[in-house]
Amino acid sequence: MKIAYDAKRFFHNNSGLGNYSRDLVRILTRYFPENEYLLLNKNKSERGKDILHQPNVRFVETSKGSLSRQLKMGKDAQDQHADIFHGLSGELPLQWNSRPIKKVVTIHDLIFLRYPQYYSFFDRKIHLWKFKKAANAADRIIAISEQTKQDIIQFLKVPEHKIDVVYQGCHQAFKEQQSVEFIQSVRSKYSLPERFILNVGTIEERKNLLSIIKSIKDTSIPLVVVGRKTKYATKAEAFIRKNKMEQQVCFLEGVSMDELAVLYKLADIFVYPSFFEGFGIPVIEALFSKTVVVTSNTSCLPEAGGPDSVYIDPGNELDLKAKITFLWNSEAERERRADKGFEFVQKFNDRPIAGQLMSLYQKIL
């Protein structure tokens, strides 16, 4: 089987969609090496170069031009005699030639429809148009959670039988045991407190960092935050300054994947009170790291967190404060829930996810 991928995010996105793209290709090449995997894009980057070195992976330089991804990439895949084209980020090319090819698209979330206030009018219109076009053109749609599947049915009016839920995994770094020396070097490099709670993700309104900061006000619980800042971060920083919490809240940027894996392991609690997610990869990163999770009881987060994470109403800071404080003061409860969470998260391991993906490909052929 020859499978072609729209590899724009594979090569050019550092987090989110990039991690999804690289992990998907990585696990398929490992567990199904008999197939050929084509990465289509105008150019390569350093990202994912280890995957490109696999003997069954090939970079295909696509046609140049401002709209070539939309108008030419599909035909480029057909000219390579690909059996399947997989759009990894909610899009498919708009034009094809007469050669037979099956089309799969992964849709991660429809947050722009559920929470339009977080997006510009133009972005909402473009996203909706692209997603509808892709959903209609695809032979199969992959939703990364049951929540996203229901949203595709509701908002894009796609029949249920056309959609498969295939969960995401996470980077291999979170499943490895780093050396004591490396762990100590990370602790020292970032001047980490002896104990702390952790939040990871883009610092934007939807992810609700300010609620965590408010919930630890008047406590001695340190918070470490890892993520790219947006305009919303200035709100959080203003609250920190006003309440003299500069020594309590620490922002880290430029953290490598291996360093991030260590931060998860060192944290007492991972806190993720997002209002809405398509899946919530940081939650499973924490569970693989054997760190207890406090997250929202909304969207897909209970799917990712499982029965032994602690759930809160993301709009209720008192609820968040009570649950953080309870876990902070109970080592036995943290360990019990972390152990149970680690058992649960094995369903997001590479092998079962690769098997589900390949089964879907074989089914449409």
Side-chain angles (χ1 to χ4, degrees), residues 140-157:
R140 298 300 293 179
I141 299 167
I142 293 175
I144 61 164
S145 65
E146 289 290 344
Q147 174 68 60
T148 295
K149 177 180 175 178
Q150 294 310 316
D151 285 354
I152 293 167
I153 294 167
Q154 179 183 341
F155 292 114
L156 302 184
K157 310 301 181 200

Side-chain angles (χ1 to χ4, degrees), residues 41-57:
N41 199 43
K42 294 177 192 174
N43 48 39
K44 307 186 260 194
S45 74
E46 285 296 293
R47 295 188 183 96
K49 64 180 180 183
D50 52 329
I51 300 168
L52 260 182
H53 288 150
Q54 299 301 317
N56 51 355
V57 180

Side-chain angles (χ1 to χ4, degrees), residues 272-318:
Y272 199 69
S274 176
F275 285 107
F276 196 91
E277 293 293 324
F279 181 58
I281 286 182
V283 169
I284 68 168
E285 291 172 346
L287 295 178
F288 271 116
S289 306
K290 292 193 174 180
T291 297
V292 65
V293 171
V294 175
T295 191
S296 305
N297 57 9
T298 59
S299 66
C300 64
L301 289 163
E303 286 181 66
D308 293 284
S309 291
V310 174
Y311 295 99
I312 51 99
D313 171 357
N316 185 336
E317 284 148 25
L318 290 176

